[in-house]
């Protein structure tokens, strides 16, 4: 599988570029005209890094509250691999949602529907049972260990895949 989007490198690339351009270079360049210009550059770097992340998380929390009427337990940066969409993987008490910041929420999985989940590296795969079918959702996330811990608490033990179950019975 060819993964083109990388939430880790994209986020931290924005951090490094903002701090180098505005924090360091802008601060040193504008210091000669006045300390307040340097302070404005440093504040701009802060807003472009942490302010944007805080704004996106606020938007995601509001969307989740409006959709499922629950508070988020975990919000992590994610990319939905099949569609190559960026957004946030949000886990609440009873739901797992993929929330794009500027689009509608289309992926909502109830805890009762989750059959199995698997974490391998930064990839999280969740298999859910819907009427007449099973669907697998794949995400690349920033913090897979936190996602795994919250999925274990929310939905219990992950069921084995049907081929794994057959192999265990034949031994």
């Amino acid at each position: 599988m060819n993964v083109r989007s990388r939430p880790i490198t994209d986020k931290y690339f924005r951090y490094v570029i903002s701090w180098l351009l505005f924090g360091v270079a802008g601060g040193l360049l504008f210091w000669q005209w006045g300390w307040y210009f340097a302070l404005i550059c440093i504040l701009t770097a802060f807003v472009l890094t942490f302010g944007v992340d805080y704004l996106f998380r606020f938007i995601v929390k509001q969307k989740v509250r409006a959709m499922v009427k629950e508070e988020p337990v975990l919000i992590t940066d994610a990319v939905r691999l099949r569609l190559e969409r960026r957004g946030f993987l949000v886990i609440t008490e009873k739901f797992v949602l993929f929330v794009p910041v500027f689009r509608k929420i289309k992926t909502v999985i109830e805890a009762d529907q989750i059959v199995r989940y698997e974490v391998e590296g930064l990839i999280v795969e969740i298999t859910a049972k819907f009427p007449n079918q099973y669907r697998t959702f794949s995400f690349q996330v920033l913090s897979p260990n936190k996602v795994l811990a919250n999925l274990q608490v929310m939905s219990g033990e992950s069921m084995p895949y049907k081929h794994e179950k057959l192999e265990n019975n034949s031994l």
Side-chain angles (χ1 to χ4, degrees), residues 13 21 26 34 59 79 103 123-124 158 168:
F13 180 74
L21 285 178
I59 291 170
V79 174
R103 294 190 175 123
I123 306 294
V124 175
S158 177
N168 290 340

Side-chain angles (χ1 to χ4, degrees), residues 127-141:
T127 303
K129 182 180 180 184
F130 292 100
N132 300 326
Q133 68 178 352
Y134 287 90
R135 288 195 57 197
T136 301
F137 300 94
S138 299
F139 305 99
Q140 183 180 9
V141 297

Side-chain angles (χ1 to χ4, degrees), residues 16-166:
V16 168
I17 293 298
S18 296
W19 279 104
L20 284 176
L21 285 178
F22 291 103
V24 177
L28 292 175
L29 180 68
F30 289 117
W31 184 262
Q32 60 188 345
W33 287 295
W35 63 270
Y36 44 88
F37 289 123
L39 183 63
I40 289 172
C41 284
I42 292 172
L43 288 175
T44 303
F46 184 79
V47 167
L48 287 176
T49 54
F50 302 112
V52 170
D53 288 342
Y54 182 77
L55 177 68
F56 285 168
R57 288 186 185 276
F58 178 76
I59 291 170
V60 166
K61 283 181 184 179
Q62 295 302 320
K63 287 174 109 175
V64 168
R65 286 183 194 135
M67 178 68 105
V68 296
K69 311 286 191 275
E70 290 185 10
E71 290 293 320
V73 175
L74 174 71
I75 299 174
T76 185
D77 294 331
V79 174
R80 183 151 180 215
L81 293 180
R82 185 174 146 239
L83 302 173
E84 285 292 323
R85 296 252 168 98
R86 292 174 185 266
F88 293 88
L89 188 66
V90 179
I91 297 177
T92 66
E93 294 292 325
K94 299 176 188 171
F95 296 96
V96 175
L97 300 97
F98 178 71
V99 183
V101 177
F102 299 115
R103 294 190 175 123
K104 292 182 181 179
I105 299 173
K106 294 183 181 178
T107 306
V108 179
I109 307 167
E110 291 185 36
D112 301 339
Q113 295 174 328
I114 296 175
V115 177
R116 66 187 224 89
Y117 48 87
E118 184 178 349
V119 175
E120 184 177 319
L122 295 177
I123 306 294
V124 175
E125 289 185 352
I126 300 172
T127 303
K129 182 180 180 184
F130 292 100
N132 300 326
Q133 68 178 352
Y134 287 90
R135 288 195 57 197
T136 301
F137 300 94
S138 299
F139 305 99
Q140 183 180 9
V141 297
L142 271 178
S143 54
N145 294 332
K146 291 180 182 178
V147 172
L148 179 63
N150 283 307
L151 283 173
Q152 288 173 346
V153 168
M154 183 176 69
S155 65
E157 187 68 28
S158 177
M159 300 296 286
Y161 189 64
K162 61 183 176 182
H163 299 298
E164 293 172 0
K165 188 186 295 184
L166 292 175

